[in-house]
Amino acid sequence: MLTKKSRIKDVYANPIGRDIIDRVLLQMNISKKAVTNPIVGNLKLKVLPKLPKSQLDEGFLDTLLTLLNTEHEAAKGNDEAILKAWWKEAVFYQIYPRSFKDSNGDGIGDLQGIISKLDYIKELGIDAIWLSPIYDSPNDDNGYDIRDYHKIMAEFGTMEDFDRLLTEVHNRDMRLIMDLVVNHTSDEHMWYQKAIHEPDSKYGDYYIFKDQPNNWTSFFSGSAWNYVEERGQYALHLFSKKQMDLNWENETLRHEIHDMVKWWLEKGVDGFRLDVINYISKRSGLPDGNESIGKLMEYHGVEHYFYGPRLHEYLHDMKEKVFIPYNAFSVGETPGTGMEMSKLLTADYRKELDMVFSFDHLETPGHTRFDDYQYDLNYLKSYMINWMENYGNHCQPSLFYENHDNPRMISKINSDRHYRNVLGKLLAVIQLTLRGTPFIYQGQEIGMINQNFRSTSDLRDVESLNLYDELCNTMNKEEAFAKILAGSRDHARTPMQWNNQQYAGFSTGKPWIMMDEDYKNCNVEAQLQDENSILRFFQKLIALRKEHRVIYYGEVLFINQKEKDLFTYYRKDGTETLYIEMNLSSSNKKRAKYPEGIRLLSNYAEDSSSFLRPYEASIWKYN
Ligand code: ISL
Ligand code: CA
């Protein structure tokens, strides 16, 4: 049991304590050495709030201790071999259906559009597709606000289209996973409508109601509570005002969700990506969030639900009752969980989730998504080293930089067009040669970049638009727009660039969201014809990955770790050794040594001798 008399080093020795301290340091941009040095390590927790300029108060300590003392488990060590599984060998491709391919000219991507591009996906070398939500929805958050789990969004097609899509995916020996959004539903979902109109029915307790709101804030600006006149109470929404949080404490609701998931598994889908699944268990009593944590994390209340008291129980239950019987795969989206929490959520012997997406590599220390800054790849290097060395054999890392919620990675690192091609390929090498399961986001394979949005009328995303309104209270419109522009999720949601024709071959009609002129140069058709393109590189790299199975299960051995801008490692097993060498900067970098063996693939045509060129990335095979 840890108390205020415990020393910082004892907290850091506790897995959950380490996760939380690491997270706080990351947010504040303070090096880990600040905690691991003995002077600080020996300080008692209770002195922290008393230090000059301390941003931490007593409430922070209480929260920390509650979190630490409710988790009694620690993940097992690393002595057993990695268990094999199809999803540890697969390359996933994420489709954002609204922006992938439109088949009927209404400017909105749809299921028939996806079907028409399955051969393209297969030829890229993809093994499994993750579809962002396609269920019936009023689209307040583009389908992440579900109105009916058993119906297809009319704009996307029909259930017959879906069945056809699933068959066509399977016919090509690929798998399909769906997006499962069960932290919340749309306020237009029948359950919510009954909950407010028939509070005495079984639905009355399906959502989270309170007589008085607490201080929790929504991720999409403002209070997380709506006043519900029908009940004279407040209802919780961690996301938009139309995304109402479900009450997982209610067992009938949990069974209802299990049945719904089984319904899709009966159809033959291969698994799920579980939206903000770590938020489903909220601390009972829904206490106010601590002010200093709220300020630090930019949202109030997170500490009471990002790793809630019954999270493991709910996940374990769902795995046993629903996923295991259907042999279904599950990857959880878990914003805010650190490595140790992720281990406890995914270790194979614990039977909760197969994998999670962690997000701490998407911004460098001290930055958040809405800051305009240049991402330093040396941070990605240190992050990857840490995960590869410490995540362990019972857990499988996910490897990704892009999805529908984040600006394009190339733009974050270096927006100089000159480097686009080599940089896109370098990122691919990291993603496809480390140990883990890669998730490629649509458009990443052709090196799509951020869009030139000119004003808020070009934007569609509820998060961006709400934040803009909020920022306008404290800054002028230009400043507010500039901030939105840096982090808007819409950068990733513009139409897939298929060719150089009008609307990029995405649609014959005007797309639902704007696109700039980039498609004229950057598109699938042109890149398929260009041996030197990012797309061709992805194809070759994925093929290489399948040929060299050492990439799936082999050891990762890093060398030159301390050498800035140089990222080098071996992949090794009993049968072969690969050597990966990369220059993370836009300047020439001296090589640590000239590699032996043969160069299998590189983003530069000819090899040079003593130095690596800007963003050079090569894979060598040793004998
Ligand atoms: O926690 C966050 C703070 O910015 C976000 O990262 C947020 O948790 C994350 O964007 C959650 O994403 C998922 O759930 C949302 C939906 O809008 C996203 O598109 C989805 O990926 C609500 O369903
Ligand atoms: Ca359409």
Side-chain angles (χ1 to χ4, degrees):
M1 172 96 174
L2 292 160
T3 67
K4 286 185 188 171
K5 288 189 185 138
S6 306
R7 293 177 195 278
I8 291 185
K9 63 179 182 197
D10 302 325
V11 176
Y12 206 61
N14 170 301
I16 303 305
R18 186 154 62 234
D19 273 3
I20 294 173
I21 293 178
D22 283 350
R23 190 74 244 266
V24 169
L25 295 175
L26 185 66
Q27 201 82 8
M28 293 183 172
N29 192 12
I30 299 174
S31 149
K32 284 184 194 175
K33 289 190 197 114
V35 207
T36 47
N37 94 52
I39 303 177
V40 179
N42 279 317
L43 290 179
K44 291 192 174 143
L45 276 187
K46 61 177 184 189
V47 310
L48 281 182
K50 301 189 183 100
L51 296 177
K53 290 204 218 141
S54 176
Q55 296 180 33
L56 311 174
D57 56 16
E58 287 286 326
F60 173 84
L61 293 188
D62 294 331
T63 308
L64 178 66
L65 290 168
T66 311
L67 277 164
L68 295 178
N69 292 322
T70 35
E71 180 62 85
H72 300 289
E73 310 271 332
K76 274 207 283 196
N78 210 9
D79 32 16
E80 288 152 68
I82 302 171
L83 297 176
K84 303 211 155 112
W86 71 264
W87 45 269
K88 296 184 183 172
E89 303 179 8
V91 177
F92 279 74
Y93 187 85
Q94 182 192 351
I95 293 181
Y96 195 65
R98 205 171 189 78
S99 307
F100 191 60
K101 173 69 186 167
D102 174 23
S103 70
N104 62 353
D106 65 354
I108 298 171
D110 47 49
L111 300 185
Q112 286 296 341
I114 297 174
I115 294 172
S116 73
K117 294 297 183 187
L118 289 178
D119 287 333
Y120 164 76
I121 295 171
K122 179 71 187 174
E123 272 157 38
L124 182 57
I126 299 303
D127 304 290
I129 295 172
W130 150 27
L131 274 190
S132 274
I134 54 164
Y135 316 89
D136 175 48
S137 159
N139 278 314
D140 194 48
D141 186 21
N142 286 359
Y144 283 91
D145 49 323
I146 297 171
R147 181 166 48 202
D148 186 340
Y149 288 105
H150 300 277
K151 234 165 107 182
I152 300 294
M153 192 187 302
E155 291 169 329
F156 289 173
T158 61
M159 196 55 85
E160 278 91 72
D161 294 331
F162 175 80
D163 293 338
R164 167 91 201 289
L165 171 63
L166 185 59
T167 309
E168 294 288 336
V169 168
H170 286 161
N171 284 346
R172 287 167 179 79
D173 278 328
M174 294 190 286
R175 287 180 165 93
L176 184 76
I177 69 165
M178 307 275 288
D179 215 309
L180 186 64
V181 190
V182 287
N183 174 67
H184 45 265
T185 71
S186 164
D187 64 346
E188 297 181 30
H189 194 288
M190 180 269 279
W191 296 341
Y192 186 75
Q193 286 304 312
K194 294 240 182 209
I196 64 173
H197 292 117
E198 298 167 31
D200 296 328
S201 70
K202 69 167 184 177
Y203 303 103
D205 187 39
Y206 272 26
Y207 293 83
I208 302 179
F209 295 99
K210 221 173 178 293
D211 293 337
Q212 287 304 320
N214 62 20
N215 71 349
W216 296 5
T217 50
S218 152
F219 290 107
F220 295 163
S221 304
S223 162
W225 296 90
N226 287 346
Y227 182 65
V228 184
E229 222 158 89
E230 291 85 344
R231 292 182 56 136
Q233 280 184 310
Y234 292 81
L236 180 70
H237 63 89
L238 293 180
F239 293 89
S240 93
K241 288 193 157 305
K242 285 177 67 65
Q243 290 169 295
M244 312 315 299
D245 280 61
L246 287 163
N247 177 21
W248 276 70
E249 296 276 325
N250 182 307
E251 198 183 347
T252 320
L253 167 82
R254 294 203 299 276
H255 289 153
E256 192 120 42
I257 290 174
H258 292 173
D259 289 344
M260 178 273 288
V261 178
K262 283 186 199 155
W263 189 85
W264 283 98
L265 289 168
E266 284 291 331
K267 272 188 172 288
V269 307
D270 301 290
F272 294 90
R273 173 265 190 191
L274 293 87
D275 191 67
V276 288
I277 200 65
N278 57 318
Y279 293 180
I280 57 178
S281 163
K282 280 95 177 164
R283 195 173 314 291
S284 56
L286 312 177
D288 272 341
N290 172 258
E291 285 295 331
S292 58
I293 299 177
K295 270 203 200 102
L296 186 68
M297 297 297 164
E298 297 190 318
Y299 304 99
H300 285 76
V302 268
E303 68 272 28
H304 296 305
Y305 59 76
F306 87 106
Y307 191 66
R310 298 182 69 185
L311 176 62
H312 291 298
E313 174 198 334
Y314 296 154
L315 291 177
H316 184 69
D317 192 41
M318 186 146 69
K319 176 98 170 181
E320 295 262 300
K321 294 192 180 126
V322 186
F323 293 148
I324 290 180
Y326 290 87
N327 203 6
F329 165 73
S330 58
V331 52
E333 187 213 24
T334 55
T337 57
M339 191 194 299
E340 299 301 324
M341 295 175 187
S342 301
K343 283 184 191 169
L344 291 171
L345 291 167
T346 64
D348 44 19
Y349 58 89
R350 290 176 54 90
K351 302 204 178 355
E352 295 187 16
L353 294 167
D354 291 325
M355 282 174 42
V356 291
F357 293 124
S358 296
F359 294 90
D360 290 349
H361 61 308
L362 294 190
E363 314 302 335
T364 56
H367 293 117
T368 65
R369 176 153 51 90
F370 288 99
D371 295 335
D372 196 0
Y373 72 98
Q374 224 182 347
Y375 186 103
D376 180 355
L377 280 171
N378 286 287
Y379 173 67
L380 185 69
K381 167 182 159 183
S382 62
Y383 176 91
M384 288 300 179
I385 292 177
N386 185 23
W387 280 73
M388 294 297 125
E389 291 187 339
N390 300 310
Y391 201 35
N393 285 0
H394 289 292
C395 304
Q396 171 81 351
S398 59
L399 298 165
F400 75 101
Y401 327 104
E402 291 189 7
N403 59 28
H404 62 295
D405 290 335
N406 285 279
R408 296 285 183 178
M409 194 65 177
I410 294 178
S411 302
K412 287 198 218 178
I413 298 166
N414 193 332
S415 53
D416 183 342
R417 301 283 170 110
H418 181 68
Y419 298 117
R420 184 173 182 177
N421 182 289
V422 281
L423 185 50
K425 292 172 181 172
L426 169 122
L427 288 169
V429 170
I430 301 175
Q431 189 178 14
L432 287 145
T433 63
L434 284 172
R435 180 166 91 77
T437 303
F439 288 77
I440 298 167
Y441 179 63
Q442 69 182 45
Q444 192 194 333
E445 77 276 25
I446 55 170
M448 279 177 68
I449 53 175
N450 285 353
Q451 291 283 312
N452 283 315
F453 297 116
R454 291 149 311 199
S455 71
T456 46
S457 63
D458 286 338
L459 298 176
R460 295 287 175 273
D461 180 23
V462 56
E463 180 198 48
S464 304
L465 297 171
N466 287 358
L467 181 60
Y468 176 79
D469 287 345
E470 188 182 272
L471 292 173
C472 283
N473 295 327
T474 55
M475 50 178 86
N476 68 41
K477 290 186 171 175
E478 290 69 42
E479 284 168 340
F481 184 65
K483 191 146 177 82
I484 300 303
L485 206 53
S488 178
R489 307 192 295 181
D490 280 333
H491 286 298
R493 299 177 179 188
T494 57
M496 178 70 184
Q497 297 169 187
W498 293 106
N499 59 36
N500 63 4
Q501 308 294 297
Q502 197 189 24
Y503 306 134
F506 161 72
S507 172
T508 53
K510 191 168 187 283
W512 67 278
I513 185 171
M514 71 149 254
M515 53 197 315
D516 62 24
E517 302 277 280
D518 186 55
Y519 68 94
K520 294 191 174 153
N521 300 308
C522 170
N523 61 68
V524 169
E525 199 178 278
Q527 293 204 12
L528 281 174
Q529 281 151 23
D530 173 6
E531 269 315 302
N532 189 35
S533 65
I534 300 183
L535 179 55
R536 282 284 181 214
F537 191 83
F538 261 98
Q539 277 180 334
K540 289 174 206 160
L541 187 52
I542 295 173
L544 181 151
R545 192 183 146 90
K546 291 187 200 298
E547 207 177 307
H548 301 276
R549 301 177 59 87
V550 62
I551 297 178
Y552 301 153
Y553 302 112
E555 265 184 274
V556 198
L557 295 168
F558 295 98
I559 53 170
N560 310 310
Q561 288 199 26
K562 296 246 153 71
E563 189 65 45
K564 189 167 184 272
D565 295 334
L566 196 62
F567 193 19
T568 48
Y569 49 88
Y570 293 106
R571 298 303 317 270
K572 252 188 194 152
D573 63 13
T575 51
E576 67 172 333
T577 301
L578 299 180
Y579 174 64
I580 291 92
E581 63 165 358
M582 286 172 283
N583 173 3
L584 302 180
S585 78
S586 58
S587 324
N588 286 339
K589 175 80 195 166
K590 203 172 164 303
R591 256 179 164 142
K593 59 159 191 170
Y594 188 80
E596 306 154 27
I598 51 163
R599 203 172 70 139
L600 295 178
L601 190 64
S602 170
N603 56 357
Y604 279 83
E606 302 296 328
D607 188 33
S608 75
S609 50
S610 57
F611 61 88
L612 294 171
R613 288 151 290 186
Y615 301 119
E616 185 160 349
S618 311
I619 302 168
W620 297 76
K621 182 176 165 56
Y622 281 26
N623 301 315

